[in-house]
Every structure is written in C-alpha cells, then in structure tokens.
C-alpha cells in the first residue's frame, strides 16, 4: 500500500539526471580565511527572485550585456527572456537528436558579443549521422539568424547506449572557448566495475576507446580559439602538439566521465568541473569507488578515468571474459593497451581530484551529505572584478569557488589558499532550496543567476526556471510575489491579483505595488481586473520601497477559451473495491465555447493495474494514452528510437503508426517486431539500416513492440456512463488497483490553444496495513522471523494516533482491526479531520499479555457512523489510566 500511496500522489501532481602535480606560486589575491577574519554575511541580505518558470528541460543559459537571457532547452528550443518587458519567447527550434541524454546541451555568448553578436550552441544533430556540433550564430534584435550558422567542430558519437553527453560551453579571459564532452560510453553493463570491456562486440562499453583515448573527443574538455571566418585555431599550451601527432590538438584535459558543468578561474585560468561518478561495487577508502568529483586543472593533463577515481584510487583490472580481477594501472605511468584505443598507449600521469565524495557520508567532506549525487562546478568570485557592481557579493567570498549539487540541492562556497589548495567549504544560501540547479553564473552587476532544471527528469517542470540572487549592503530590494487564481477563461474574464505575499527584509520600508497588465497599469496590493477582449496578456508586478529598491514577478493570462469542466460522478465508494462488487460511474463534461460535447472526443479508460511500472505510468499519463503501455513510454524514450522514428510522420525511419498498420494483422507480429528491434535489419522500409539493440533484454523488446503495435489498434470506446463488474483483481492478491480515468481536450477558441480537463478515481484493496499511515507517532515493528514475518504498529500509548488521507466512507459500516492484546488495553477512536475532530466510531481492546509475539492475533470490529465523502481519518488511541503500552495493531479492513 505504500507503493499505491506514492502513485496516487504522483497522479495528483501529474494531472493537476584535481589538483595538478605541480603547484606554481600564485599572486596573493585570494582570500585566506586563516589570516584575515571577515564576518560571515547576513543571509537575509540575499534576495532571490524567480525570473522565469515552467521551462522544458533547461540545459544552459547565457546572460547578454543588456541582461536579457538565452536558455537552451534539451529538446531543441531556444528561449529568450526580455529583461525589460519580463516576457519569454521562443526564438528558434533546433532539429536535434534528443535520445539518451543528448539534445541541445550548451549555449554561450562570445566575450565580444557587444560588437560581433556571436552566440555558440552545442547539440546532437538529428538524422542518420551520429554527430554533435559546436556551432556559431549571430543573435541580433532578439532574432537568431539561421543563415549565419558556422559549424566550428563536429564530434562523432554513438547513439546506441546511454549516456553522458555533457556539452557545457564557457570562455576564459583570453577569449578561448572551452567545451566539455562526456564519455558517451555504455555505463550500464559494467558488472559492478569500470567500463573497460575489451571483448569483441563490446567496444561501446570500453572507455579506453573514448575518454582514455587521445585520438577521441569524448570524455574531454576541449580548448580552442574561435576565428571570424567560423573556423578555429589551436592555442598554445594544450595537452598535445598542434600537429595532432600524439592526439587531438583540441584536447586540454582528458580522462573524464561526465564533465557536466565547468568554469574557468578569471585570474589563474584554472579550469574547474564537476565529474558525475559511476556506480560500482569496488571497495574504496570511503565506501565504494563510485565517487563524484570536483576537479581543478592548473595545466593540461590526464585525470584518471576509467582507471582511477578520487585521490587516484585504483580500479582493479577486471577481465569481462573470465570475470577475474587483476592489479590495476599505475597512476604515475598509466598504459592504455586496449585494442579499442587508437591514440597514445603511454598516457600522462593521472591527476587526483580536488574534492570527491561517494553515496554515503563523507569522512573528508562531511558537509556534502549523502545519497545520490551529481557534482557541478560554478564560478570563482573576485571582489575587485565587481568594484562598482550594485549587487556584488561581500568580500567574504573573494577568491572562493562555488560548487553545487544537482541531486542534493546545495551550493557550497569553497575556500582556497593562495596557491589554490583546498581549505574548507560552507553552504551558500542554504535557505534557498533550488530544485536541481543546472547552471550558476555571476552577472556584471554582481547578481548570481541560477538555472533550475526542476523535479522530474525528461519533463517540463513548473519548478524549473531562472532565479536571480541579489546581495545588498544597504537598502535591500523587495521580494515580489504574485498570486493569481484562474489564469485562463473566456472574455470577459475577471482575475483577482494579489501581491500580499511580497516582502521586504528592511523592517522600516514602505512598499508600493504597480501592476502592468498588457498595456494598462494599476496600483495596489490586491487588485481586480477584467479582460474584455481575447488574447494572451503578460502581467508584471513591480514592488518598490521608498528608497528606490524594486522587485518584479510575472505571470501570463490567456483570455478567450474556458477550460472544460469534467467530473466523475458515482454512487459507489471512491476508495475501495471488494469481491463481487460493482462500480457505477457517469462522466459529466461542460465547455463554454464548445457547447455540445462530442462523446467521441472524450477518452475514458478503466483498467486494473499492478503496482510498479504499469500503475506508475498510468497515473502519470493523465489518461492520454493506452494504459497498458503507459509505463513503456519512458523505456522507449531512453533508447535511440526517437532519433529515427516519430509518431505520425516519416523521419529517417517510418512513423510508428505506419509500422503498427503494416504489422496489424500478422500472427506473431509482436515476436517478429521484438526480434527486429534486437537484431536490427534493412530493406523493409528503404535502404537505411535499422541499428541493432543486441543487449536489450527480450522482455523489454517485446514490451516496446507491444507499445508500437497498440498504435494501430482502435481502442474500444468506453461509454460516458456504465456499471463495471469488479472481477479482474480476483486471484491477484493485494497487488494492484482499478483506475478510472477520463479526459477531454476542447477545440480551442479565440486564438487560445485547446485546453484539457481530466479526472480519475483509484480503487484499492480495502485491507490497509496500519504501518502505512501518512502521519502518526506510534512505533513500527518490522516483519522478521521472530514476529512471524508480521509488521505492525506498537509502542501505542495514551494519546498517540495515526492518520490516513482521503478515504471515502460512503457505504462503510465498520472497520475490522487485526489486534494483539499486548499491554494495558484501551480505546481506539476513529475521528474525522483531526485528532479531536468529530467522532465517527470507537471500540475497546482488552488488556493482555502474549509471550510469543507470533500468536494471539484476533480481529475486532470498529463500527462507523453513516458518513459520505472523502475524509482524512485519525485513529486515536486512549487509556488515560495507564502510561504503559496499550496493544498492537496489524491491519484494518473497511467493511461494506
């Protein structure tokens, strides 16, 4: 039931991823905290405001000289934020390969953008050529000029296995461009080791042919000088000679796994990057050799992967054929003797990481926490570079490196000594819980910009966006917070706009509120505005104080189309199913603009789904797709199929619906198609061969085949009202739920896009384990051999309780409890909405003592007063005459 509770929660959201050996002397411009005592800044003097939200997989950003912002979204969109109007637009859509972790990955403006208007992108090129491009365009007057495109560099890749694309672009003070590229190697089939599989046919699982290969761009950071004609030159001081005799001359550092985010120190020109680590079973000094790293390159070099990790801890030499481990490489003299290596055999000495940490608590850096990880490196800050900047950071941060965590959601300021050695780290703005920080940059005015990816992978997230952080020594800018009810409706459309959540950290400040609604203005903390004409209106709230401080917030109102209203009506219980029972339903839909609803446009589905992928996929789909295969869509998206096939139209390969149509009436078509997915082939749809997926498990191939074939099947149309017999669960235990979903997409109106409404009912088994409560203060005894493998709640004393959310009591006459008289005994009260809410029923449990914890279980009834509707139920346990434990409870069963 814990799983079901998680999936129901998912549905509620769904419908409503180095120090150098030499240590040159550096000028003493770094902050050395052990010699100078500087007061830690007051965190309340940092003001964070969200400029943009609701982006679709934002991967990178670049801040223009006028503080407009260009954002690269992974699926190819180039988004433009106008800092003057606070409006967001799409200025280009790249045709990208967005399978695995590829897509539009990097964006950066040229250091001389004011004069040349150059902007650079790194992206996977769509089509049948497996390459990624570093390309330059001109950006003028908010327009990306496609005809100005210059491809500086093509990077050959493989698109068969996931993952690691990286793709970050940045510049140093000398105008040199740095590009990080992931190892692009099969990281899944490594048998608990590092990816060094030298067996024939396993070349794509051997990182010795990529990151440790001096003749390959992957797993590297490149350094080049862009030229005006769209080419580039090789600067002095890269890792290999300019003539390419020892390796690619563009390479600055190599031996990297997934150098996702990086920066260049503007003074020392040291390069910093976060390298996302592997998942291995190799024992290490801190748990397993699965470290994430923050690296520091003081000069070009080899940084160890796939032979070393962290402080040059050595991977054993694992033979994938014999499954035997041998001695690992020598960090001082690493040799790449793989048959897949086309470059240098004798590699430069391996450089250790600057900071490294694993999945468990770190002894060396306890501040980083524990759990999953994705380490990233941000900028190094210098106060003297921002002397006149209005929002410059305090001198306390002078010389500090900012690092951040995509998964753990923290930002750290790292203090270094005058030579760049690690001294300490501390949280930066711990009160700001950025959801998956993706990029961090400091603007010329001293403000810090953060790019947030958002909660869910491969999705448009409402909590994604750009956050601007300002620091103020004197008057602090107000924080504007805009609240609005409905944002869509028909004209005339009245909205209530409120700024009452806005605030100012200066206690004596007086705030004023100005609203810009389209081309109209209004004043006041809370206003009411009526839109009389259809259209899309930008609403900008500006909150000002008497000292000139300002904060802004934006939203968008769409007028001209009312969202449909869809409800599911039933006389049955909306929480549970029982044996030999029925569920009646009626779908009621109204839409102001559409008028009469065409029943054929309403999607209704009713399925019994088991826990796991089927149920999770169904609850996140909103009823849009065939529920039998909703969980398969993520599997399909994780492969390279989307680079060749679209749903409706021919691409490199045929449309999925055309494939489904061709195989529709063939016997055994699912097995045939699954075999083609695994083995590949050509000749059926043209000359372009379909690549094989030899390592795809057969069950996954069959699942994908079924998903494709389902597109050629006309789903039986369910009526808008019916009575369903609930029999499919029989013989399947407590392993699933019935899900009724209904959705309707209107036709759109008055220039506003079609809007969708959906609703659902989830019916679960009426037997619920007491330890699955949403909130409570009792103890839980875990199932072991000593308890007869029964888990239950215990340590129940007077006044304790458990809460279960959103349970329908319609038709419920009693709750049967499985109890053990183990203690002083007492009363179980069922209350509505609160611990002291209305009493719905109670029962007494006698005192007792059971020697054997596996015995003495019995069932008693707790009668329930006639009640309808969904309620949060509180089970409150009482015995005011005893301070001892009262009893144990295993489960409850809701009786009709």
């Amino acid at each position: 039931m814990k799983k079901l509770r998680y999936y129901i929660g998912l549905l509620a959201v769904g419908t409503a991823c180095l120090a150098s050996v030499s240590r040159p002397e550096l000028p003493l411009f770094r902050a050395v905290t052990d010699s100078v005592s500087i007061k830690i800044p007051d965190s309340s003097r940092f003001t964070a405001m969200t400029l943009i939200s609701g982006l679709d997989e934002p991967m990178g950003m670049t801040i223009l000289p006028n503080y407009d912002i260009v954002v690269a979204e992974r699926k190819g969109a180039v988004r433009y934020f106008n800092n003057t109007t606070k409006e967001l637009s799409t200025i280009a859509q790249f045709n990208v390969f967005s399978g695995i972790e590829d897509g539009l990955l990097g964006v950066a403006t040229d250091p001389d953008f004011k004069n040349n208007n150059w902007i650079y992108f790194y992206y996977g090129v769509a089509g049948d050529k497996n390459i990624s491009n570093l390309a330059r365009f001109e950006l003028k007057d908010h327009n990306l000029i496609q005809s100005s495109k210059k491809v500086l560099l093509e990077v050959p890749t493989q698109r068969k296995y996931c993952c690691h694309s990286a793709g970050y672009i940045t510049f140093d003070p000398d105008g040199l461009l740095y590009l990080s590229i992931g190892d692009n190697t099969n990281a899944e089939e490594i048998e608990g080791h590092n990816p060094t599989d030298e067996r024939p046919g396993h070349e794509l699982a051997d990182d010795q042919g990529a990151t440790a290969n001096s003749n390959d761009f992957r797993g590297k950071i490149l350094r080049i000088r862009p030229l005006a004609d769209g080419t580039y030159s090789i600067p002095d001081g890269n890792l290999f000679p300019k003539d390419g005799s020892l390796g690619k001359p563009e390479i600055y550092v190599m031996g990297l796994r997934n150098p996702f985010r990086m920066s260049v120190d503007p003074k020392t020109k040291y390069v910093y990057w976060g390298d996302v680590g592997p998942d291995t079973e190799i024992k290490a000094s801190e748990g397993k050799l699965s470290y994430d790293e923050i690296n520091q390159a003081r000069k070009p070099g080899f940084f160890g992967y796939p032979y070393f990790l962290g402080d040059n801890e050595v991977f054993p030499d694992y033979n994938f054929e014999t499954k035997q481990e041998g001695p690992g490489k020598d960090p001082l003299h690493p040799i790449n003797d793989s048959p897949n290596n086309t470059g240098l055999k004798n590699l430069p000495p391996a450089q250790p990481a600057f900071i490294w940490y694993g999945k468990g608590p770190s002894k060396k850096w306890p501040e980083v926490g524990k759990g999953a990880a994705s380490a990233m490196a941000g900028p190094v800050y210098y106060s003297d570079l921002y002397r006149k900047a209005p929002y410059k950071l305090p001198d306390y941060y002078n010389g500090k490196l900012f690092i951040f965590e995509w998964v753990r959601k923290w930002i750290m300021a790292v203090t270094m000594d005058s030579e760049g050695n690690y001294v300490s780290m501390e949280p930066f703005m711990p009160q700001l819980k950025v959801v998956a920080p993706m990029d961090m940059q400091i603007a010329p005015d001293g403000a810090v910009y953060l790019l947030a990816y958002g909660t869910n992978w491969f999705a448009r997230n409402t909590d994604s966006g750009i956050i601007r952080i300002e620091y103020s020594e004197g008057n602090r800018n107000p924080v504007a917070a805009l609240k609005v009810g409905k944002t869509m409706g028909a004209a005339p459309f009245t909205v209530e706009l409120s700024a009452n959540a806005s605030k100012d950290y200066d206690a004596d400040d007086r705030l004023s509120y100005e609203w810009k609604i389209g081309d109209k203005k209004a004043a006041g903390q809370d206003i009411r505005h009526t839109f009389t004409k259809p259209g899309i209106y930008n609403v900008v709230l500006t909150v000002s104080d008497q000292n000139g401080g300002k904060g802004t917030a934006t939203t968008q109102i769409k007028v001209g189309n009312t969202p449909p209203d869809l409800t599911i009506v039933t006389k049955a219980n909306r929480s549970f199913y029982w044996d030999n029972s029925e569920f009646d339903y009626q779908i009621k839909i109204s839409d102001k603009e559409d008028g009469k609803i065409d029943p054929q446009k309403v999607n209704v589905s009713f399925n019994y789904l088991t826990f796991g992928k089927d149920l999770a996929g169904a609850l996140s789909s909103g009823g849009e797709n065939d529920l039998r295969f909703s969980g398969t869509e993520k599997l399909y998206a994780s492969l390279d199929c989307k680079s060749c096939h679209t749903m409706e139209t021919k691409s490199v390969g045929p449309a999925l619906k055309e494939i489904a149509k061709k195989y529709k009436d063939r016997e055994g078509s699912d097995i045939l198609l699954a075999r083609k997915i695994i083995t590949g082939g050509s000749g059926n749809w043209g000359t372009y061969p379909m690549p094989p997926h030899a390592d795809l498990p057969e069950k996954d191939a069959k699942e994908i085949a079924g998903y494709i074939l389902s597109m050629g099947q006309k789903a039986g149309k369910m009526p808008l009202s019916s009575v369903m017999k609930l029999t499919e669960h029989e013989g399947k235990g407590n392993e699933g739920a019935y899900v009724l979903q209904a959705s309707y997409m209107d036709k759109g109106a008055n220039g506003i896009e079609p809007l969708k409404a959906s609703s659902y009912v989830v019916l679960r088994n009426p037997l619920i384990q007491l330890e699955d409560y949403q909130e409570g203060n009792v103890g839980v005894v875990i199932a072991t051999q000593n308890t007869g493998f029964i888990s239950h709640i215990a340590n129940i004393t007077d006044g304790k309780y458990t809460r279960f959310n959103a349970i329908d009591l319609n038709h419920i006459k009693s709750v049967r409890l499985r109890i053990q008289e183990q203690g002083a005994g007492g009363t179980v009260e069922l209350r509505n909405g609160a611990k002291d809410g209305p009493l719905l029923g109670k029962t007494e449990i006698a005192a007792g003592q059971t020697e054997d914890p596996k015995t003495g279980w019995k069932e008693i009834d707790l009668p329930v007063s006639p009640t309808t509707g969904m309620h949060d139920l509180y089970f409150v346990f009482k015995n005011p005459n005893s301070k001892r434990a009262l009893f144990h409870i295993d489960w409850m069963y809701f009786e009709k």
Side-chain angles (χ1 to χ4, degrees):
M1 298 307 291
K2 288 180 180 176
K3 291 181 180 179
L4 179 58
R5 192 170 69 219
Y6 165 78
Y7 295 131
I8 294 173
L10 176 63
L11 176 58
V13 174
T15 60
C17 164
L18 301 147
S20 172
V21 167
S22 65
R23 302 284 188 182
E25 185 78 6
L26 300 179
L28 296 178
F29 49 67
R30 291 190 180 274
V32 186
T33 57
D34 55 1
S35 61
V36 179
S37 178
I38 302 177
K39 184 180 179 181
I40 297 176
D42 177 2
S43 63
S44 70
R45 292 202 164 272
F46 291 94
T47 301
M49 61 190 77
T50 299
L51 302 180
I52 306 171
S53 60
L55 297 171
D56 188 359
E57 290 194 78
M59 301 301 293
M61 65 178 172
T62 187
I63 306 167
L64 304 185
N66 63 354
Y67 296 95
D68 290 356
I69 304 171
V70 177
V71 179
E73 293 183 338
R74 194 179 69 86
K75 298 181 184 72
V78 180
R79 307 279 270 165
Y80 193 98
F81 174 72
N82 187 313
N83 186 57
T84 302
T85 65
K86 311 301 180 187
E87 295 176 352
L88 182 67
S89 60
T90 301
I91 61 171
Q93 177 67 49
F94 281 41
N95 184 19
V96 300
F97 165 71
S98 60
I100 53 179
E101 291 177 353
D102 228 326
L104 177 55
L105 303 176
V107 58
T109 44
D110 193 90
D112 195 28
F113 179 83
K114 281 186 177 180
N115 296 313
N116 60 30
N117 300 114
W118 292 346
I119 186 169
Y120 300 81
F121 297 92
Y122 183 72
Y123 58 96
V125 180
D128 58 358
K129 193 176 180 182
N130 293 352
I131 58 169
S132 292
N133 278 352
L134 173 66
R136 190 188 79 200
F137 295 79
E138 290 184 26
L139 176 64
K140 293 182 178 179
D141 301 323
H142 307 174
N143 293 312
L144 192 68
I145 302 172
Q146 295 292 335
S147 61
S148 68
K149 176 182 177 181
K150 302 286 186 182
V151 177
L152 280 74
L153 181 68
E154 284 189 353
V155 177
T157 64
Q158 62 84 19
R159 294 175 175 176
K160 183 176 179 181
Y161 295 108
C162 193
C163 286
H164 314 147
S165 300
Y168 195 77
I169 310 170
T170 193
F171 284 85
D172 71 9
D174 297 329
L176 300 182
L177 182 151
Y178 294 73
L179 170 65
S180 72
I181 303 174
D183 66 357
N184 185 223
T185 295
N186 181 358
E188 301 301 321
E189 299 168 341
I190 58 177
E191 300 178 9
H193 290 75
N194 52 332
T196 54
D197 192 344
E198 299 177 1
R199 292 175 296 174
H202 293 259
E203 294 82 3
L204 300 184
D206 184 9
D207 236 340
Q208 298 170 107
T211 181
N213 184 351
S214 66
N215 203 33
D216 195 290
F217 286 130
R218 295 171 299 169
K220 314 293 194 300
I221 291 178
L222 310 184
R223 187 177 73 153
I224 61 174
R225 183 179 296 281
L227 302 177
D229 63 358
T231 62
Y232 63 87
S233 63
I234 304 298
D236 294 334
N238 277 4
L239 184 57
F240 300 117
K242 293 183 181 182
D243 62 5
S245 57
L246 299 180
K248 298 286 188 184
E250 296 88 349
I251 295 173
Y252 188 71
V253 294
M254 64 183 292
L256 318 182
R257 183 176 185 268
N258 192 7
F260 201 67
R261 291 294 173 262
M262 65 174 173
S263 70
V264 181
D265 187 308
K267 291 195 174 183
T268 66
K269 300 174 189 174
Y270 291 174
V271 181
Y272 293 92
W273 69 94
D275 206 342
V276 183
D279 290 312
T280 77
E281 297 299 321
I282 306 300
K283 292 183 179 180
S285 62
E286 291 200 356
K288 297 176 181 178
L289 202 51
S290 301
Y291 303 143
D292 274 46
E293 299 178 340
I294 299 294
N295 284 291
Q296 178 197 71
R298 303 185 181 189
K299 65 178 184 178
F302 172 58
F303 283 79
Y305 201 73
Y307 304 126
F308 319 104
L309 208 59
D311 193 18
N312 275 347
E313 292 189 54
V314 182
F315 283 104
D317 187 358
Y318 180 69
N319 188 312
F320 283 80
E321 188 72 46
T322 65
K323 314 304 181 187
Q324 299 297 311
E325 291 182 357
K329 307 287 185 181
D330 178 0
L332 295 179
H333 304 284
I335 297 174
N336 184 352
D337 52 6
S338 168
N340 300 311
N341 178 33
T342 60
L344 279 178
K345 181 176 181 180
N346 295 298
L347 299 176
Q351 309 301 303
F354 186 56
I355 297 168
W356 63 92
Y357 54 91
K359 305 300 186 287
S362 171
K363 298 175 184 176
K364 194 171 182 65
W365 291 283
E367 299 90 347
V368 300
K370 62 181 180 178
S374 278
M376 303 191 189
V380 179
Y381 176 77
Y382 292 102
S383 297
D384 62 348
L385 300 181
Y386 299 89
R387 291 190 189 281
K388 296 182 180 181
Y391 306 111
K392 66 178 182 178
L393 295 175
D395 290 343
Y396 177 84
Y397 293 105
N398 182 49
K400 286 181 167 61
L401 164 70
F402 289 98
I403 62 175
F404 53 102
E405 248 288 347
W406 195 88
V407 175
R408 300 185 188 183
K409 303 179 178 64
W410 51 247
I411 305 171
M412 296 284 176
V414 177
T415 301
M416 298 173 286
D417 66 17
S418 61
E419 294 184 346
N421 300 311
Y422 175 88
V423 174
S424 64
M425 73 170 72
E426 63 192 274
F428 175 74
M429 287 196 72
Q431 73 275 22
L432 182 66
K433 300 296 183 183
V434 181
V435 181
M438 178 65 76
D439 199 359
M440 180 179 185
Q441 298 179 22
I442 302 175
D445 65 356
V448 176
Y449 283 74
L450 293 173
L451 181 65
Y453 181 87
T455 301
N456 299 309
W457 291 17
F458 306 115
R460 181 189 297 272
N461 292 301
T462 57
D463 52 4
S464 65
I466 293 179
I467 300 168
R468 175 180 160 97
I469 301 169
E470 298 174 351
Y471 178 81
S472 176
E473 290 282 3
N475 181 57
R476 286 170 284 192
N477 284 334
V479 179
L482 187 160
K483 288 185 178 180
V484 60
K486 293 182 178 180
T487 58
M488 297 180 182
F493 182 55
T494 300
V495 295
E496 305 282 347
L497 296 163
S498 175
N500 63 13
S502 303
K503 57 187 175 183
D504 195 305
Y505 288 107
D506 297 318
D508 297 329
D509 278 2
R510 300 183 304 275
L511 300 182
S512 59
Y513 308 88
E514 181 181 82
W515 301 85
K516 184 175 180 290
I517 306 171
D519 57 359
K520 297 181 179 180
K521 293 185 177 181
Q525 186 179 52
D526 301 300
I527 68 169
R528 181 185 178 93
H529 183 83
T530 299
F531 297 89
T532 58
K533 296 180 180 179
I536 299 175
Y537 298 87
N538 288 297
V539 176
V540 180
L541 165 67
T542 301
V543 182
S544 307
D545 63 25
Q546 75 275 20
N547 299 308
K550 295 180 183 294
T552 62
T554 66
T555 192
Q556 202 169 68
I557 306 295
K558 296 183 178 181
V559 181
N561 188 20
T562 308
D565 181 54
L566 185 152
T567 58
I568 299 175
V569 179
T570 180
K571 298 176 184 177
N573 185 283
R574 301 176 74 97
S575 292
F576 305 115
Y577 64 81
W578 291 269
D579 293 344
N580 302 314
S581 61
E582 296 179 339
F583 181 78
D584 68 281
Y585 71 87
Q586 183 179 5
I587 312 298
K588 293 188 175 182
I589 307 171
S590 62
D591 187 275
K592 184 174 181 179
E593 289 76 26
D594 287 6
K596 186 177 180 180
I597 303 299
D598 181 358
Q600 295 301 311
K601 301 294 184 182
V602 183
N603 293 314
V604 182
S605 63
F606 190 81
N607 292 268
Y608 181 78
L609 302 173
T610 56
F611 293 122
K613 183 166 52 180
D614 290 342
L615 187 55
L619 298 184
S620 62
S621 72
E624 185 70 15
N625 305 310
D626 188 337
L627 294 184
R628 296 173 300 158
F629 301 102
S630 53
T632 313
E633 293 172 20
K634 188 173 182 180
L635 170 63
Y636 174 82
S638 71
L639 303 175
D640 58 1
C641 310
K642 292 178 70 175
S643 63
C644 298
H645 303 282
T646 67
M647 192 74 71
E648 301 281 353
T649 59
K650 185 182 185 302
S651 179
V652 176
L656 295 183
K657 288 190 175 179
E658 283 299 311
I659 298 174
K661 182 179 178 180
K662 178 174 181 176
Y663 289 94
K664 176 182 173 183
D665 298 320
R666 290 195 189 183
E667 186 176 349
S669 58
D670 57 338
I671 298 173
L672 175 63
L673 193 55
R675 181 50 44 193
K676 282 183 174 291
I677 293 171
I678 293 173
T679 61
S682 62
N684 293 325
W685 298 92
T687 58
Y688 183 75
M690 175 181 172
H693 300 82
D695 296 309
L696 185 69
E698 186 173 353
K699 65 179 182 60
D700 288 351
K702 288 182 178 178
E703 193 174 319
I704 292 172
Y707 166 61
I708 296 172
L709 292 170
S710 73
M711 298 175 191
Q713 302 167 359
K714 287 189 176 180
K717 264 293 180 186
M718 290 191 64
L720 299 190
S721 63
S722 184
V723 178
M724 309 296 296
K725 295 281 188 181
L726 305 182
T727 59
E728 196 171 343
H729 67 276
E730 294 175 2
K732 298 177 182 178
N734 194 23
E735 293 302 314
Y738 290 95
V739 181
L740 171 67
Q741 290 181 290
S743 64
Y744 174 74
M745 183 81 75
D746 70 17
K747 301 174 184 177
N750 299 305
I752 306 300
E753 72 273 14
L755 302 177
K756 179 183 175 183
S758 61
S759 188
Y760 68 94
V761 174
V762 177
L763 304 177
R764 50 182 155 164
N765 193 291
L767 188 145
I768 298 176
Q769 301 295 328
L770 260 292
E771 64 268 21
D772 286 342
Y773 56 79
Q774 271 80 20
E775 181 190 8
N777 55 5
V778 297
V780 176
V781 175
I782 300 173
T784 66
Q785 186 174 0
N786 290 335
T787 67
F789 299 101
I790 295 173
S791 59
H792 56 274
I793 63 171
N795 192 28
I796 301 171
T797 56
D798 180 52
K800 290 192 173 182
Y801 72 96
T802 58
R803 190 194 78 227
F804 295 83
N805 293 345
I807 290 180
D808 186 6
L809 292 180
N810 189 29
H811 303 305
I812 301 298
K813 296 179 179 178
S814 66
V815 179
R816 187 172 6 126
L817 301 174
R818 187 171 190 255
I819 61 96
Q820 190 180 61
E821 295 168 345
Q822 184 74 4
T827 304
V828 180
E829 295 181 345
L830 177 61
R831 292 188 175 270
N832 185 4
K835 289 184 291 184
D836 56 355
L839 182 65
L840 300 177
K842 66 179 181 178
T843 190
E844 299 290 334
I845 299 178
Q849 191 69 36
T850 302
E851 296 296 332
D852 185 351
K854 294 181 284 187
T855 63
W857 290 99
K858 61 177 64 176
E859 296 175 17
I860 64 171
D861 280 343
L862 189 161
V864 177
S865 301
T867 310
T868 59
M870 308 292 286
H871 303 280
D872 290 349
L873 301 182
Y874 285 75
F875 290 83
V876 183
F877 313 112
K878 292 185 177 180
N879 186 340
N881 299 319
S882 177
K883 294 183 179 180
R884 295 194 300 127
L886 306 181
F887 38 72
H888 297 162
I889 307 180
D890 182 9
W891 48 250
M892 60 181 170
Y893 184 92
F894 288 82
E895 301 268 16
K896 287 184 67 176

